[in-house]
């Protein structure tokens, strides 16, 4: 049986971003088939991450049209992808939208009834949670924020905290996240994975370097009814507020995650 050809983002410097690299692990888990990376021009599936604009181009539509004429190729499947900012698609007729990340992406596509969900919510299914907690707080900077002095200052202020690099192998990152009581992250998939493990989590903003600003965070939050997705002020932590008080926010959206996971799995189970 031929493997599934999956497109997900690979950084040009060859460093890992665990959120992108989760894509093949999750697709293999759901389909029980071998998955291999493929370029956007020849993939079967476009995976998770803010990569949908790469698929929705006139060039990709032309590539698909040629492949269909010569090889009888089916449409490329979109599974959990999203846009990175408020910019709509050039072309979509070559795509089979099984699942998009959230309502903001759906709105840009101008399609009603598309199912929402980020496959990263399945993280706890592929790497069971640690049996014991090691850290009070896991601090997850986006790779563009990795050198921020605020990160090390935060670790120094909060006892029993740890910095979790997104540039490690995905399963290693999942394990470390599951070892924490609380998570604070400027990486979207840091928040998503924490939600998967039912770990209270908050978003932090360390810079303006993340492309698209709030868009992808609001897109994901809207997919599960999560309202507390805005970045918090870190000053409250520096002022010594207790973590359980800081994280004592509305968490009822957690009740929606099992339903979201069921939809994520069923959207592509037949592949």
């Amino acid at each position: 049986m031929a493997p599934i050809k999956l497109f997900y983002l690979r950084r040009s410097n060859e460093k890992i971003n665990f959120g992108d690299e989760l894509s093949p692990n999750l697709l293999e888990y759901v389909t029980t088939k071998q998955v291999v990376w493929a370029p956007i021009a020849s993939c079967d599936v476009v995976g998770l991450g803010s990569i949908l604009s790469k698929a929705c181009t006139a060039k990709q539509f032309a590539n698909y049209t040629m492949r269909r004429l010569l090889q009888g190729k089916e449409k490329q499947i979109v599974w959990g992808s999203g846009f990175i900012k408020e910019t709509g698609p050039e072309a979509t007729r070559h795509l089979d939208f099984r699942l998009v990340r959230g309502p903001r992406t759906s709105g840009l596509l101008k399609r009603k009834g598309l199912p929402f969900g980020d496959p990263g919510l399945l993280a706890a299914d592929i790497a069971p949670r640690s049996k014991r907690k090691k850290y009070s707080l896991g601090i997850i900077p986006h790779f563009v924020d990795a050198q921020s002095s605020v990160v090390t200052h935060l670790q120094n202020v909060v006892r029993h905290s740890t910095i979790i690099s997104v540039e490690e192998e995905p399963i290693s990152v999942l394990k470390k996240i599951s070892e924490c009581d609380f998570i604070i992250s400027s990486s979207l998939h840091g928040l998503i994975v924490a939600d998967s493990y039912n770990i209270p989590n908050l978003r932090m903003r360390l810079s303006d370097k993340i492309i698209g600003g709030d868009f992808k965070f609001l897109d994901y939050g809207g997919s599960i009814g999560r309202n507390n997705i805005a970045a918090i002020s870190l000053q409250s932590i520096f002022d010594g507020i207790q973590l359980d008080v800081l994280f004592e926010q509305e968490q009822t959206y957690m009740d929606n995650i099992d339903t979201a996971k069921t939809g994520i799995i069923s959207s592509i189970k037949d592949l």
Side-chain angles (χ1 to χ4, degrees):
M1 183 180 296
I4 300 170
K5 297 177 181 178
L6 172 69
F7 173 73
Y8 55 94
L9 202 60
R10 284 182 163 179
R11 295 167 64 190
S12 58
N13 61 6
E14 298 186 353
K15 288 188 177 181
I16 286 174
N17 178 21
F18 96 99
D20 298 321
E21 298 286 338
L22 269 176
S23 234
N25 301 70
L26 297 170
L27 189 57
E28 285 187 347
Y29 164 71
V30 173
T31 64
T32 67
K33 296 178 181 177
Q34 182 186 5
V35 175
V36 297
W37 183 87
I40 187 74
S42 60
C43 69
D44 303 315
V45 179
V46 181
L48 68 157
S50 300
I51 57 176
L52 192 51
S53 59
K54 296 181 183 296
C56 295
T57 65
K59 180 180 179 180
Q60 284 307 117
F61 176 68
N63 286 340
Y64 159 74
T65 303
M66 185 62 68
R67 290 200 318 275
R68 186 175 184 184
L69 288 172
L70 297 178
Q71 304 171 21
K73 283 287 186 180
E74 299 294 330
K75 291 183 177 183
Q76 291 176 315
I77 291 172
V78 173
W79 188 55
S81 317
F83 290 112
I84 199 165
K85 57 185 178 180
E86 292 273 2
T87 302
E90 293 179 7
T92 60
R93 285 183 293 167
H94 58 297
L95 299 171
D96 175 6
F97 291 96
R98 299 287 188 91
L99 183 76
V100 296
R101 183 177 55 212
R104 294 192 173 227
T105 289
S106 177
L108 288 175
L109 291 168
K110 294 181 170 57
R111 295 191 179 205
K112 295 182 179 180
L114 286 180
F116 307 143
D118 192 296
L121 286 173
L122 303 177
D125 293 15
I126 65 171
R129 72 172 62 240
S130 173
K131 293 182 179 179
R132 68 185 184 91
K133 299 291 186 179
K134 292 184 179 180
Y135 307 104
S136 59
L137 178 67
I139 304 161
I140 310 177
H142 189 284
F143 63 78
V144 300
D145 298 323
Q147 303 305 315
S148 171
S149 60
V150 177
V151 175
T152 51
H153 183 47
L154 189 57
Q155 185 185 29
N156 291 334
V157 168
V158 180
R159 296 181 60 193
H160 308 301
S161 61
T162 186
I163 298 170
I164 302 174
S165 172
V166 299
E167 296 182 326
E168 296 183 12
E169 292 293 336
I171 300 304
S172 173
V173 177
L174 302 193
K175 181 176 182 294
K176 290 179 180 179
I177 290 174
S178 76
E179 292 172 341
C180 300
D181 290 319
F182 303 102
I183 291 291
I184 189 164
S185 176
S186 65
S187 158
L188 175 59
H189 274 99
L191 304 175
I192 293 172
V193 170
D195 278 344
S196 178
Y197 286 109
N198 200 25
I199 296 172
N201 61 91
L202 293 170
R203 176 186 165 204
M204 62 178 173
R205 179 184 284 112
L206 297 172
S207 71
D208 294 323
K209 297 177 183 178
I210 296 178
I211 298 171
D214 292 337
F215 181 85
K216 64 181 180 180
F217 294 95
L218 295 170
D219 194 33
Y220 166 67
S223 74
I224 56 169
R226 176 174 178 172
N227 298 318
N228 65 334
I229 200 76
I232 66 160
S233 169
L234 295 177
Q235 191 59 49
S236 55
I237 298 180
F238 298 147
D239 289 344
I241 190 172
Q242 294 295 313
L243 291 180
D244 56 350
V245 174
L246 178 65
F247 283 83
E248 193 177 28
Q249 296 195 26
E250 183 268 320
Q251 300 285 331
T252 56
Y253 73 88
M254 289 283 189
D255 296 337
N256 302 328
I257 289 177
D258 283 344
T259 300
K261 288 170 65 174
T262 299
I264 291 164
I265 292 171
S266 64
S267 68
I268 203 164
K269 187 73 174 178
D270 62 338
L271 186 63

